[in-house]
Structures are given as C-alpha cells and as structure tokens.
Amino acid sequence: MRSDTMKKGPERAPHRGLMRATGLKKEDFDKPFIGVCNSYTNIVPGHCHLKKVGEIICDAIREAGGVPYEFNTIAVCDGIAMGHKGMKYSLASREIIADSVETMGTAHPFDAMICIPNCDKVVPGMLMGAMRLNIPTIFASGGPMRAGKPQAEGGPDTDLISIFEGVAANRIGKLSDEGLEALECSACPGPGSCSGMFTANSMNCLCEALGIALPGNGTIAADSPERVELWKRAARRAVELARMENPPTAKDFATPAAFQNALVLDMAMGGSSNTVLHTLAVATEAGTKLDLKKLDEISARTPNICKLSPSVQYHIVEDGNRVGGIMAILKEISKVPGLIDGSAPTVSGKTLAEEFNGAPDPDGTIIRPLSNPYSEKGGLAILFGNLAEKGCVVKAAGVAKAMLTHKGPAVIFDSEEEAGEGILAGKVKAGDVVVIRYEGPKGGPGMQEMLAPTSYIMGRGLGESVALVTDGRFSGGTRGACIGHVSPEAAAGGLIGLVEPGDIIEIDIPNRSIKLDVPDEVIAERRKNWKPREPKIKTGYLAKYASLATSADTGGVLKVN
C-alpha cells in the first residue's frame, strides 16, 4: 500500500510511534489509511454541518476496515465575503485549498482519499489537489440547502439571491424594511450549499459527470437521510478502492472524454458560469488540454433541457433531485449522438451509462425531453470579439430573450464596490452597458464576484434593458445579460481597460460576438497612452497571488515564470 512508505519496516518505528500516539494499535498498521479531506467551518452555512459529516464518514471507514485520518482545508463563504475586501480572497482561496490537499496527501501518504467539499472554490480546489496527488479519490459533498419560504402565498421559493435582489427593491421603495427582514430570516433555512444551480451545486453536479462522485452527490439535500447513506456508501467505497490491486486514480476521471461529459452536463443544465473557470483550472492540473473554443463547440451542440434557480425562480436543486437528478439529465442528453461517452468509468465501478440508464425519463417540466428543450444550444455561451480576444462567458440560459442582442453606451466603473454604489445611486439607465474592470484575477486581485451589482440591476427593474460586462466574474446566482471573464483582463492590457464612457458596445449572444464599436485608429492611440496600474494590494497573500495569476481564459491558474 502507498501508506507502507510511512508505516512499514524497522526504520519506520519512529513513525509508528508517533501514530500510536494518535491511538493506533498494532493491527491498524495492516489496514488501508484513508485521508478524509474535510472543509468544515461553522461560519459557512454550506459547511457548518460538515464536522458531523466527517464523523459519519470516519465511522463508516472504520467499519469497513480502514483507518481514517481527517484533515481540514479552509472554506470561504462567497455570500458572506460579498461586497467587501473579503471577496478578493474567494477565488484565491482555491489555490490554498489545492496546495493544502497536495501537502497533506504527500507528507502523509494515504492509500485513498475522500473529499468533503461543498461551496464554490472548495470543490475545484480539492479537485486540483486531487489531480496533483493522483491517488484513488472519491468526492462526497455536503449537499444543497433546502429552499426558503415563499414571500407570498403561491409565490416562488426564496434563496440567497432573493435577499440580494430584495436589498435593491428596498432601496427604491418596492419592498418594506419588514419585508426585507422577513426575507433575511427565511430564505436560507438551514445547512447546505445555497439552494439554486449556483457555482457550488454546479460543481458538485459536475463531479457526478466526471465520475469522481457517486450519483446524487450534487442534488440530494444536505439534511436528508438519503444524504447520510450517500456519505456512508462513499466511505465504504474509498476503503474498497484502497484495497484494489490497480485502483482508478483521480486522473482516470479527468480524461478528455470525462471533461466533455461534464461540460455537456453543464450546458444541458445551465450551470454557473464559474464552472468554466474551474473546469479549465482542473484540466490544467490534470494535464488535459481544454480551451474556451472547445467549450463553445460543446455548447453549440448541446440543448439546454433543464433550468433551475436562478435561471428560473420556481425550481431549485432539490426539485431537480426529485425528478431523477443528474443521471436523468445525462440519460436524456446522451440521446444526442456524439455528446456523451457512456463508457467513461465512474468511482462506483460502473460506467457512466450503467449509472444513468436506470434513471427516470424527463418529467417534462423541470427536465425537458430533447423534443422540447428550453433552447437548442447550451446554457453557457463563449463570446469572442475585439473586446474579448481570448473569450468571455455568459450564462445564456439566464438571459431574457430581449437581451440576447444589445447595443448601448458604456457606463464605466473601475471596481465592484464603485459599481454597486453607482447602480444604487441611479447612474445606470435603460439601454446602458455597465463595464466593471480591473477586477480580473490579477487586477482585482482575486476576480471578485459581481452578485451585488447584478442583483441591484435586477432589483431596480433594469434586468431586461441593461447589460453588464466585466473582467471579473459572477456568482452562480447571477441572471441577466451579464458577461464575465473578459480576457485578457484590464490589468494585463486587455481592451476592456481602454473603453471610455459613452463608447458603444455591441453584444450578440446567438452569434457569439462582443465588440467595442470604436475605430481601430482610435483604439491604437488609446493603447499608446495606456500604462499598467499600480497593484491594489502590495503585501500579504493577495500580492503574491496577483503576481502569479493568469487571465480567466486559462482558468485563472497561477503560473510560475
């Protein structure tokens, strides 16, 4: 076993002595050692229950004949970090998590690993670390939160996004202070990752399509008995993997075919635009070639057959689970020739097709049949043009039909905070294109999410008349004509840094284009006068991160020259 490196032979007596101090007995040294990578912290609602989850999984590992060794990673709650300096650390935390997994799994050679992530950056961070370790690994997330109570009888369920949009509605007098407080108290009713198809749930669902998690990982509610059984099955399977002669390792679930399966799912279910950023980063760690053009090719061939919040307000992830979950989506979308490779392996030991063949047929409401998709193309779209030479991303599934094409004057903000204040103050009017720049991985630094500005646009009733373009990124809870990940970013000399107030920007999502409508000679003159800005932060982790960060078209990974 891999763990024999640290526990077998006379020269490892000191090592065994140290492990005996943790409670191990002689008979334990012949058992497989299972790393239990937990992201528990009680400040994050998606993670506040994971201490108990870790106990359930460790107990199941012992019962299966393994030795569990639990260790922790950090976890940032994007919702709590939103709107202040803390959000700069969100994407940057992904790299700390990956480094932590790599460090713990190398310093202590486990035979297999089970990862317990839940929220946004934790899932891809653990995936990146797992690719570096490349040992048998299974993901068992904390699960999605239940929906909040409707604010009116017969109205839609509520969630975190309802509160953000409620802030803007309150500011313009559409929602009373009492109504806003009622939203605050009811929209997030318990533990779990926020209840819509936001980034956390999108990534946990993609783990099913990659084959590195058991079916249900992305959709079974956090507080359900079914979730407990999923954790136990994952723990038992981790021990089985450790005992195999030639077990599948993490990179076996990161092949080109596996990534295509995951991306097809992403497009079919209208996942968060952040999945693009994270999938590119995980592929880089796995040594698998993936680029934005490939993503757009997949999107162009993949019908969008499922819509959940925030693309629609009346269905959440829990509803998706009720009608068959991810396996039901994969079963239906696999009927399109050449999209899904059903022979891809999964961590259960079955092929992906063997897992999804038993799923129910589309219910027709939450998951639609191929004969009646929400759209013929995928939920995400990659746009190219002079404003984004290396691409940018929009969640097309969440864009109103009237905004699929748009042309308007630029209203420019050089930070997320400035944009939020400006939108609430009425500086943006119908027809405008809001530009938020110097918020990319390097410029932010950390590529802040734009949930507050996008929610304020919705809350002010401008969702079907205003577009937003940024080199930053959006929360998975964002909806509307919100275009992010513009590459190259402003801090790297991208054209978005040369846009001036009133410049006309043309957006054509069906034809995948975004253009700054300014003569080439004017752009050339502006470029002559452009100079890099002083870094916003010059000390600490973010300064180091900014010096190594690449633009979003590479996944925003760190690159050492």
Side-chain angles (χ1 to χ4, degrees), residues 1 32-34 111-112 136 237-245 247:
M1 291 186 285
F33 283 14
I34 311 298
D111 299 303
R237 183 60 180 164
V239 176
E240 291 174 1
L241 291 171
R243 284 183 167 147
M244 287 182 183
E245 181 110 4

Side-chain angles (χ1 to χ4, degrees), residues 230 240 327:
L230 179 76
E240 291 174 1
M327 293 300 128

Side-chain angles (χ1 to χ4, degrees), residues 153 199 309 349 351 430 438 458 513:
E153 187 174 346
T199 306
S309 173
T351 65
Y438 292 99
M458 287 292 176
S513 72

Side-chain angles (χ1 to χ4, degrees), residues 152-400:
E153 187 174 346
D157 292 329
T158 55
D159 55 30
L160 177 65
I161 312 308
S162 307
I163 309 176
F164 273 99
E165 293 182 3
V167 170
N170 175 260
R171 178 68 71 95
I172 61 174
K174 288 185 176 180
L175 181 67
S176 67
D177 291 346
E178 293 77 16
L180 181 59
E181 184 178 7
L183 261 180
E184 174 190 332
C185 293
S186 64
C188 300
S193 46
C194 293
S195 59
M197 190 54 77
F198 314 143
T199 306
N201 290 328
S202 296
M203 289 303 301
N204 284 324
C205 290
L206 260 60
C207 285
E208 292 188 44
L210 283 171
I212 204 166
L214 297 175
N217 179 72
T219 58
I220 298 174
D223 60 353
S224 66
E226 293 82 5
R227 194 89 210 175
V228 175
E229 181 53 35
L230 179 76
W231 293 323
K232 290 180 178 179
R233 285 195 293 118
R236 292 191 292 266
R237 183 60 180 164
V239 176
E240 291 174 1
L241 291 171
R243 284 183 167 147
M244 287 182 183
E245 181 110 4
N246 292 299
T249 59
K251 286 186 179 179
D252 290 325
F253 305 107
T255 62
F259 276 115
Q260 172 152 329
N261 288 340
L263 292 169
V264 167
L265 169 67
D266 204 4
M267 303 306 172
M269 72 181 185
S272 162
S273 59
N274 282 321
T275 56
V276 173
L277 190 74
H278 299 319
T279 304
L280 289 167
V282 175
T284 297
E285 294 292 352
T288 302
K289 184 173 176 55
L290 193 64
D291 60 35
L292 287 175
K293 289 184 179 179
K294 174 68 173 176
L295 268 66
D296 198 54
E297 289 172 9
I298 292 171
S299 179
R301 297 169 54 206
T302 307
N304 177 207
I305 60 171
C306 178
K307 280 195 179 185
L308 300 169
S309 173
S311 295
V312 294
Q313 290 184 293
Y314 40 83
H315 293 140
I316 61 166
V317 173
E318 189 180 344
D319 295 319
N321 186 70
R322 178 169 48 81
V323 296
I326 297 311
M327 293 300 128
I329 298 174
L330 289 172
K331 178 183 177 180
E332 184 66 12
I333 207 70
S334 70
K335 296 174 184 176
V336 179
L339 278 185
I340 292 292
D341 183 349
S343 69
T346 75
V347 76
S348 72
K350 298 178 180 179
T351 65
L352 189 63
E354 287 173 333
E355 289 287 13
F356 67 60
N357 280 338
D361 293 327
D363 68 302
T365 302
I366 297 171
I367 302 174
R368 290 186 176 183
L370 289 176
S371 59
N372 182 34
Y374 284 98
S375 65
E376 294 295 335
K377 294 185 177 182
L380 298 177
I382 311 299
L383 313 184
F384 292 92
N386 67 347
L387 192 57
E389 292 179 12
K390 294 186 177 180
C392 57
V393 181
V394 61
K395 189 171 184 175
V399 179

